[in-house]
Amino acid sequence: MARELLPYQIAERSIIKKYRKQLWNPFIAAVKRYALVEPGDKIAVCISGGKDSMLMAKLFQELHRHSDVPFEVIYLVMDPGYNEMNRAKIESNAKLLNIPITIFETDIFDVANNADEHPCYLCARMRRGHLYRKAKDLGCNKIALGHHLNDVIETTVMAMFYSSQLQGMMPKLHSQNFEGMELIRPMYCIREDDIIAWRRYNELSFIQCACRFTENCTICDNGGGGSKRQEVKILLRHLKQTNPDIEKSIFNAIHAVCTETFPGIRKSDGDHSFLEDYEARRGE
């Protein structure tokens, strides 16, 4: 008689079996392509409680179990001031999925929500800083965030439409404020629709938006309200109806940027014009 599997075992098997092509393979592809996990790493897998970070934790468990690369991992949950329902939901999901989380508390929501201007920007910066600091205190050299392929392409489009610049989301970054620390995005090549499919297949529900400004949509499939990201998400969804490969095209485009065809380039040392080396490239 076959042994009945527990929910976390079913979730793990679905990653390796049913959704191997959609989840496991692109996860491994990102880890290898961008050199995200290296020997001796101690990685803080940052869990917000949403579908993306919870799946990322399960992917890391599988990687840690089977990888030939020696590394350590901590599943880190920062409580920025969740209400009791959200905190309980994160803890119960972690138990259900057999994820051994380490929780630490902050007052980020109190500080950000009392800010006169740009509370969301302040909240995001504070979250990142607290995660870096706690991870470093725990001996980690990297933090892993659950941004996926759709986050990458939406960020690119948003920057062009609303910030007047062509700017992407990098798969890994050196921290500017915490020496020796890096941020990695191991779900960089995974589509959001496939994450949702995995969640639904396993009949899981996660918190979506835990901010006190929008607590009326804490547990749902979609969020964003009237945000610019949601506008871009809807636009891309419409464009996908006539061009099914549009997500792939945008993603590939940020890996093949032809800088010599742009009149202006922004680098770490400032803005540069094509005129700087225009004559030097005569006859090319």
Side-chain angles (χ1 to χ4, degrees):
M1 183 176 179
R3 177 173 62 91
E4 185 175 352
L5 297 178
L6 295 172
Y8 81 88
Q9 294 172 318
I10 296 173
E12 290 171 354
R13 176 172 289 189
S14 67
I15 290 172
I16 300 300
K17 299 289 186 179
K18 183 175 179 61
Y19 294 103
R20 186 178 189 89
K21 181 179 179 181
Q22 296 90 343
L23 300 177
W24 180 250
N25 288 353
F27 171 72
I28 294 299
V31 167
K32 292 181 177 179
R33 180 177 188 180
Y34 308 119
L36 301 182
V37 179
E38 299 168 297
D41 279 345
K42 187 172 183 179
I43 302 170
V45 175
C46 301
I47 300 173
S48 66
K51 66 185 189 312
D52 307 327
S53 61
M54 283 292 190
L55 172 59
M56 179 175 64
K58 296 307 296 180
L59 289 164
F60 262 104
Q61 284 184 319
E62 289 297 318
L63 181 64
H64 190 253
R65 189 176 296 134
H66 301 294
S67 177
D68 294 330
V69 176
F71 72 96
E72 297 181 60
V73 63
I74 292 176
Y75 301 96
L76 190 61
V77 176
M78 180 188 66
D79 185 342
Y82 292 132
N83 61 34
E84 292 183 6
M85 182 179 70
N86 283 328
R87 173 70 177 255
K89 188 66 176 176
I90 293 172
E91 292 175 337
S92 64
N93 275 331
K95 184 177 181 180
L96 179 71
L97 291 171
N98 195 35
I99 302 170
I101 57 175
T102 296
I103 303 178
F104 72 103
E105 299 177 356
T106 71
D107 61 352
I108 290 176
F109 280 173
D110 286 335
V111 175
N113 290 347
N114 289 322
D116 293 332
E117 295 183 354
H118 311 299
C120 295
Y121 173 77
L122 177 62
C123 180
R125 285 187 60 86
M126 291 178 67
R127 280 172 177 258
R128 189 76 56 86
H130 277 285
L131 287 170
Y132 270 127
R133 186 173 295 107
K134 184 63 175 181
K136 191 167 187 176
D137 288 345
L138 292 172
C140 298
N141 65 309
K142 292 179 179 178
I143 64 171
L145 301 185
H147 297 116
H148 47 68
L149 183 146
N150 293 86
D151 290 323
V152 175
I153 63 176
E154 289 162 12
T155 297
T156 302
V157 175
M158 286 172 62
M160 183 170 61
F161 283 8
Y162 303 113
S163 300
S164 302
Q165 58 185 340
L166 291 174
Q167 179 176 318
M169 176 185 283
M170 295 292 283
K172 66 178 180 180
L173 293 167
H174 289 292
S175 172
Q176 299 299 311
N177 300 312
F178 294 86
E179 186 177 354
M181 296 291 294
E182 282 185 275
L183 179 155
I184 61 173
R185 296 184 169 106
M187 298 176 70
Y188 201 82
C189 300
I190 297 177
R191 296 169 61 251
E192 184 176 25
D193 284 347
D194 295 324
I195 300 172
I196 293 172
W198 173 81
R199 180 194 65 76
R200 288 175 175 166
Y201 175 80
N202 288 283
E203 298 181 347
L204 299 168
S205 64
F206 302 110
I207 70 169
Q208 166 64 25
C209 183
C211 175
R212 290 180 185 170
F213 288 127
T214 52
E215 284 184 338
N216 61 331
C217 67
T218 52
I219 302 175
C220 52
D221 284 338
N222 297 301
S227 71
K228 295 303 181 186
R229 182 172 294 276
Q230 189 71 2
E231 288 181 16
V232 169
K233 189 183 293 288
I234 293 171
L235 172 63
L236 290 171
R237 192 178 301 150
H238 286 314
L239 293 174
K240 193 175 179 180
Q241 294 176 3
T242 55
N243 180 6
D245 293 326
I246 191 166
E247 293 174 353
K248 181 179 179 181
S249 294
I250 297 173
F251 186 77
N252 288 342
I254 65 174
H255 290 79
V257 178
C258 303
T259 58
E260 292 181 352
T261 66
F262 285 87
I265 301 294
R266 178 166 294 174
K267 298 182 179 180
S268 58
D269 61 347
D271 293 344
H272 296 267
S273 168
F274 80 104
L275 292 173
E276 293 176 10
D277 63 349
Y278 177 71
E279 292 299 333
R281 292 192 287 118
R282 182 192 298 269
E284 288 184 3

